[in-house]
Amino acid sequence: MAALLVLLVLCGAGASAAVWKSQQSDLTSARSDRTAAQSALDSAISHAESDGLAKADLLPVTTQRTAILAEAAVATKAFGFDGGERTHLAHQAGALRALIARVDLLQQGFTDIARGAATTLLDQMQAAIATAKGAGIEVGGESSTLDQTRAALAAAKSPKAVQTAIIGIDTRISALQTQTQVKLAADAALSSSRTAAQSALARADRLVSAVQPYPNLQPTIRDWAAAITAQHQAFLASTDMAGFDAITAATTAAANPIDDLLTSRSGAYGDMASARQSVQDAINYKVDPGDIPHRLDVLQATLDGASTTAVYEFVMNQVDGMMPPLLDRIGIASLGVGKVIVISLARQELTAYQDGVPFITTLVTTGRPELPTPPGNYTVLRKNHPWKMTSDFPPSSPYWYAPTWVQYTLWFRSDGYAIHDAPWRGTYGPGTQAAGSHGCVNTPMPTMVDLFNWAELGTRVIVH
């Protein structure tokens, strides 16, 4: 019995030793496997970072990795038998390997995001190419680059590969857009220049045609018309802005004298017709036109034989110069007998008539160009002696003036127009209206005294 007992003990000890040895081997293998899983995960993380993922992108994995490796080991049972550590190690290894798959998913996700942004950029390039092509720019090289980049983008497996595929694309887009803008601007400028040349030629042709009814003007415009014809030929051959601009300038230079010639001719004949009508009006009012009809006949012969702008302007000046006194007399005659004040804006002159006979004649100063004296037929509405003039404009206006006293005022419009003395003014007559009044008629003091005493309420005032 004793011997049997010893034998059993020895056999049991031997079996336990064998089990312990087997467990130790399995435990070592499990530890190695966990280490290998950890190494594989770290390698995957490192590879992902090198492929363009940021540490923040991988934070869900690295946080979980730290948590898995921080798990406490399972204690060994009595006599060195495994208490579950091998299973724990196997669980850690599996969890770490699962994180490798998660790294792959993260890499794929961020790659897709990068690919989406890159695709948008390439779409912008495609749009830039289309616009450039529409502008007439050669885009074969850019189109080839776009195709190659799309192929590289489709094959990219990482954010880094995506970024590598689109390197320089944004620069190419910017350069192409700039080139397109420059081309479109140049085309627009060329089109504008071409249109301006066409307009200049069309205007010139109209002016040449307008001269056709007047044979005596043909020799005058011959050289200008020839220059215009030459510019038509130049237009057909021109291809650049400089050429079209030169055509516009040359055509305008030839057309303007024709325009001036026609304008002066029309003005001269218009003034002559108006003067003839005024002579007839004078006769109707029994106003003696004097030698004006004869002088008009002489000028008519000159006018009919004229062929230059200078001669037409000479006729206009002669006609316009001789007519104002007769026009004043016609105006007075048309209003009948009595007292009439006539103010000539052209001559800056005031004449007071009594039954058609001049009573006072004086130089005056009327309203400046910005605030002119209004022409028309009026009457003296009221008389003031003295009167303080106050400005209708605020102090901030360039037309404001401080309250100023005048001595004699004849109001001929209810909205503030009057004939009055102007103690601040030293000169009167033609040209002084350039720095003239605010619309009133400034009159020298000595004359203004006589005019004030002579004029009555209701005295007619003619401004022309």
Side-chain angles (χ1 to χ4, degrees):
M1 289 295 293
L4 180 59
L5 182 59
V6 171
L7 180 61
L8 289 173
V9 170
L10 291 174
C11 288
S16 296
V19 171
W20 180 83
K21 183 176 181 180
S22 175
Q23 289 183 348
Q24 290 301 308
S25 176
D26 290 344
L27 192 58
T28 299
S29 177
R31 288 192 179 107
S32 296
D33 188 48
R34 185 191 66 176
T35 300
Q38 179 182 346
S39 177
L41 175 58
D42 290 345
S43 177
I45 291 173
S46 177
H47 186 268
E49 289 179 346
S50 66
D51 277 345
L53 269 70
K55 290 185 181 297
D57 299 334
L58 293 165
L59 192 59
V61 171
T62 55
T63 300
Q64 188 63 28
R65 171 189 174 281
T66 300
I68 292 172
L69 294 177
E71 293 175 359
V74 177
T76 303
K77 289 186 177 181
F79 302 107
F81 286 98
D82 179 18
E85 176 65 7
R86 183 173 60 81
T87 301
H88 175 250
L89 291 170
H91 168 74
Q92 284 184 312
L96 292 172
R97 286 192 173 90
L99 287 180
I100 294 175
R102 190 170 181 185
V103 170
D104 292 340
L105 288 175
L106 284 173
Q107 179 158 317
Q108 182 61 49
F110 282 104
T111 299
D112 290 343
I113 292 173
R115 184 180 287 111
T119 299
T120 300
L121 184 65
L122 294 184
D123 290 343
Q124 292 175 5
M125 184 175 184
Q126 185 171 356
I129 289 173
T131 303
K133 185 176 181 180
I137 297 174
E138 171 55 44
V139 293
E142 297 301 327
S143 295
S144 177
T145 297
L146 178 62
D147 292 341
Q148 294 171 9
T149 303
R150 287 197 186 279
L153 184 61
K157 302 299 183 184
S158 67
K160 183 177 181 180
V162 170
Q163 294 304 315
T164 299
I166 61 172
I167 288 176
I169 293 299
D170 54 348
T171 301
R172 284 178 173 269
I173 293 174
S174 179
L176 189 57
Q177 289 174 336
T178 299
Q179 184 182 6
T180 302
Q181 291 171 358
V182 171
K183 178 66 163 53
L184 290 174
D187 288 348
L190 178 61
S191 176
S192 178
S193 179
R194 189 176 190 277
T195 299
Q198 286 178 315
S199 298
L201 288 170
R203 170 180 176 255
D205 290 343
R206 289 194 299 271
L207 291 170
V208 170
S209 296
V211 175
Q212 298 306 312
Y214 314 119
N216 62 314
L217 299 185
Q218 297 300 321
T220 303
I221 71 161
R222 182 177 293 114
D223 291 344
W224 297 325
I228 292 168
T229 299
Q231 293 311 309
H232 274 287
Q233 297 302 317
F235 182 85
L236 296 176
S238 184
T239 58
D240 57 22
M241 190 165 67
F244 289 126
D245 288 347
I247 290 167
T248 299
T251 302
T252 301
N256 281 350
I258 301 177
D259 194 3
D260 292 343
L261 179 65
L262 289 169
T263 299
S264 62
R265 183 186 186 281
S266 176
Y269 272 98
D271 285 5
M272 178 62 75
S274 179
R276 295 284 192 187
Q277 182 60 53
S278 294
V279 169
Q280 185 59 51
D281 291 342
I283 293 172
N284 293 339
Y285 282 113
K286 297 182 171 35
V287 173
D288 183 8
D291 65 346
I292 288 180
H294 172 70
R295 293 165 64 188
L296 290 177
D297 289 341
V298 173
L299 288 172
Q300 185 73 56
T302 302
L303 177 59
D304 293 339
S307 61
T308 66
T309 299
V311 175
Y312 287 129
E313 290 181 348
F314 168 78
V315 172
M316 275 193 291
N317 291 334
Q318 291 296 308
V319 172
D320 293 346
M322 74 173 69
M323 295 306 297
L326 179 60
L327 292 174
D328 288 348
R329 293 167 62 201
I330 292 172
I332 295 166
S334 68
L335 294 173
V337 298
K339 295 181 177 182
V340 182
I341 300 172
V342 179
I343 299 164
S344 170
L345 298 175
R347 300 196 307 276
Q348 291 291 289
E349 183 179 83
L350 179 151
T351 300
Y353 292 89
Q354 176 71 57
D355 299 324
V357 178
F359 168 69
I360 293 173
T361 297
T362 182
L363 295 176
V364 295
T365 296
T366 59
R368 65 188 65 186
E370 311 94 280
L371 302 169
T373 302
N377 294 332
Y378 311 105
T379 60
V380 174
L381 301 175
R382 73 178 191 272
K383 301 167 63 174
N384 292 109
H385 168 58
W387 181 261
K388 182 164 66 173
M389 293 287 183
T390 56
S391 177
D392 293 331
F393 297 92
S396 59
S397 170
Y399 304 124
W400 179 84
Y401 59 87
T404 304
W405 285 97
V406 296
Q407 294 303 309
Y408 300 96
T409 307
L410 298 174
W411 301 95
F412 60 88
R413 277 181 49 146
S414 60
D415 52 350
Y417 292 90
I419 304 168
H420 62 78
D421 56 281
W424 57 87
R425 188 175 297 282
T427 57
Y428 301 84
T432 60
Q433 70 271 30
S437 71
H438 288 62
C440 290
V441 181
N442 292 173
T443 307
M445 176 60 84
T447 304
M448 191 63 216
V449 174
D450 295 337
L451 186 64
F452 184 85
N453 292 328
W454 172 83
E456 303 167 346
L457 295 181
T459 297
R460 287 161 290 184
V461 178
I462 301 174
V463 181
H464 68 88

